[in-house]
């Protein structure tokens, strides 16, 4: 039983290896790119719409609403990044029903790459929204003493994203593999269905956490009002 798709080698020349993680990752990205191209090729603005367009609008609207509920004012600005993360992790789990396929998210290299994408995207969105000075000034709030702790927080949450997704995806694959060896007929089917549900949950959690980090980086600064505000004047009596 393989603990990671990194162990499945398709081609090797010296230290250069083409393993299942690389093949399945690029294959999944190709399927998503071609699928999105085909679905969006003939979009209609009238009442007559295809089922694929209806499904696409439902998915896009749901993701935009989730991003807005998190606190991002312009969800469509972040929909491309957050939505792509969700779809990649979700389809990586859904494709486990294909014989011989192993989700690339059960490899630490893939989850680390996804976490690094979030690590890079957060300051980029933050700088685009607040400017360079405004974003980096947030590291010293509420006091400059918090600077090293905020930096450690950036690094630790990136590591937590990678390890959390890797652990959850790999553990599901391991449980299915063990049960397939012990009871090869009943339990693997149940665990595969449970693994699909777990994969969808992990895709949702990963994308939501990415949106939360972006929301924290793009928060707008409110005017510093005085803690004491004068009560509104009461209308004069006749």
């Amino acid at each position: 039983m393989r603990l990671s798709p990194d162990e499945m080698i398709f081609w090797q020349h010296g230290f250069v290896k083409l393993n299942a993680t690389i093949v399945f990752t690029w294959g999944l990205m190709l399927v998503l790119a071609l699928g999105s191209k085909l679905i969006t090729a003939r979009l209609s603005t009238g009442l007559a719409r295809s089922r694929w367009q209806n499904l696409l609008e439902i998915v896009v609207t749901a993701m935009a609403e989730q991003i807005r509920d998190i606190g991002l004012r312009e969800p469509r600005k972040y929909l491309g990044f957050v939505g792509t993360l969700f779809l990649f992790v979700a389809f990586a789990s859904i494709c486990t029903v294909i014989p011989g396929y192993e989700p690339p998210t059960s490899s630490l290299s893939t989850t680390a790459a996804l976490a690094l994408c979030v690590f890079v995207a957060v300051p980029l969105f933050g700088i685009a929204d607040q400017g360079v000075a405004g974003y980096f000034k947030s590291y010293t709030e509420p006091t400059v003493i918090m600077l090293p702790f905020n930096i450690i927080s950036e690094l630790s949450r990136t590591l937590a994203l990678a390890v959390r997704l890797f652990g959850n995806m790999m553990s599901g694959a391991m449980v299915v593999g063990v049960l397939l060896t012990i009871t090869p007929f009943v339990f693997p089917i149940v665990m595969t269905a449970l693994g699909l549900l777990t994969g969808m949950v992990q895709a949702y959690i990963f994308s939501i956490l990415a949106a939360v980090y972006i929301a924290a980086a793009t928060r707008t600064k409110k005017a510093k009002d005085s803690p004491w505000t004068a009560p509104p004047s009461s209308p004069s009596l006749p």
Side-chain angles (χ1 to χ4, degrees), residues 157-222:
R157 73 185 185 188
T158 303
L159 178 62
L161 275 177
V163 174
R164 180 190 294 109
L165 182 60
F166 165 70
N168 287 317
M169 299 301 293
M170 187 194 68
S171 61
M174 288 183 61
V175 170
V176 172
V178 171
L179 291 178
L180 184 61
T181 304
I182 301 174
T183 56
F185 296 107
V186 180
F187 287 103
I189 299 177
V190 178
M191 292 304 300
T192 300
L194 182 61
L196 293 177
L197 176 61
T198 303
M200 296 299 293
V201 172
Q202 292 305 316
Y204 176 78
I205 293 175
F206 192 91
S207 57
I208 287 297
L209 286 176
V212 168
Y213 297 154
I214 294 173
T218 58
R219 66 186 186 274
T220 57
K221 289 184 175 298
K222 298 181 180 180

Side-chain angles (χ1 to χ4, degrees), residues 55-72 74-91 200 203-204 207-208 211:
L55 176 61
L56 177 64
E57 291 182 359
I58 292 173
V59 173
V60 171
T61 302
M63 289 191 295
E65 288 296 330
Q66 288 292 319
I67 295 174
R68 181 181 290 107
D69 291 342
I70 291 173
L72 293 171
E74 302 176 12
R76 293 193 177 274
K77 181 193 296 186
Y78 315 100
L79 184 60
F81 177 72
V82 177
T84 301
L85 288 178
F86 173 79
L87 291 177
F88 180 85
V89 179
F91 274 90
M200 296 299 293
Y204 176 78
S207 57
I208 287 297

